Amino acid sequence: MLPEILSAYKQGFPNKSQRIFIEENYSNALENDLLEKEIDLHIRLLPIFSNKISYQKLFKSPIYLITDKTFLLFKKNNHKILSVETIDREKWEKMKFIFLYPGSGFSRLVDSFLNNHKIIVQNSFKIRSLETAANLAYEGLGCTFIPSFYLKQNFDSSKCNIFKLSEDIFSVQLVIAFLRDMNLNEETKKFIKEVVKYYKNKK
């Protein structure tokens, strides 16, 4: 989403050349940088546990499950995205799952989801990048959760199935976070305003 977010900012100020420094890292590392005032903003997922951090909502994303044949609900050559409204734990525990290394906000949400539903899955791979995990799953090499912005509509149904989870079961909220007691400079305020406006208009 980073190119989209930067593009949204530049569209709001086409005649100004601002220098924006970007740091990519795991969510917990970036949260520490924000708390130490080493960065001004942190684009991340909820929840936020520190009462020193405030945020503006950007958008809510549904979650999709990309599955291989180890998932008992797998249907060969199914070209449609199927819906999941309830969880049958026994059908989920057979699947081989592609995990992300700890540290990212999304990996914490997935762990919490599996724990809340008491689902114990087999470990197929452990990957650092969500994009790599998604691409492995699209090739039928395991199962993994993805937010909607990693969804491919033209997936190979002989290798994988895709299930959309009900938002009552699992979804994510993306926000732009900043320190609650910090006086934000005008450029930072403009950045927040333009990015929030972009996603509001996109709905």
Side-chain angles (χ1 to χ4, degrees), residues 75-194:
K75 295 180 180 179
K76 189 175 181 180
N77 295 324
N78 175 71
H79 300 278
K80 295 181 179 179
I81 296 175
L82 304 170
S83 296
V84 174
E85 301 294 334
T86 58
I87 301 296
D88 183 342
R89 197 175 72 193
E90 290 184 4
K91 287 186 171 66
W92 288 62
E93 290 191 336
K94 301 290 185 182
M95 66 178 173
K96 291 186 177 178
F97 201 78
I98 302 168
F99 282 100
L100 296 177
Y101 278 99
S104 74
F106 192 69
S107 69
R108 290 198 300 269
L109 288 173
V110 169
D111 289 343
S112 176
F113 168 82
L114 294 173
N115 289 333
N116 289 343
H117 290 277
K118 298 181 172 59
I119 300 170
I120 301 172
V121 295
Q122 300 177 56
N123 189 348
S124 179
F125 289 97
K126 191 166 276 192
I127 300 297
R128 295 195 182 279
S129 161
L130 181 53
E131 185 174 11
T132 302
N135 287 333
L136 286 169
Y138 282 125
E139 288 298 317
L141 298 173
C143 306
T144 201
F145 293 106
I146 59 165
S148 59
F149 33 92
Y150 285 100
L151 180 65
K152 289 182 182 178
Q153 297 285 352
N154 57 340
F155 60 94
D156 186 341
S157 60
S158 68
K159 295 179 179 179
C160 69
N161 280 181
I162 299 181
F163 297 83
K164 181 181 180 182
L165 278 67
S166 163
E167 290 193 6
D168 293 334
I169 296 175
F170 195 8
S171 63
V172 294
Q173 174 71 57
L174 194 84
V175 303
I176 186 164
F178 45 89
L179 289 180
R180 189 180 298 277
D181 62 351
M182 186 174 178
N183 292 322
L184 301 176
N185 61 45
E186 287 304 310
E187 292 305 323
T188 304
K189 290 178 182 177
K190 288 176 183 177
F191 185 92
I192 295 171
K193 180 181 177 181
E194 288 305 312

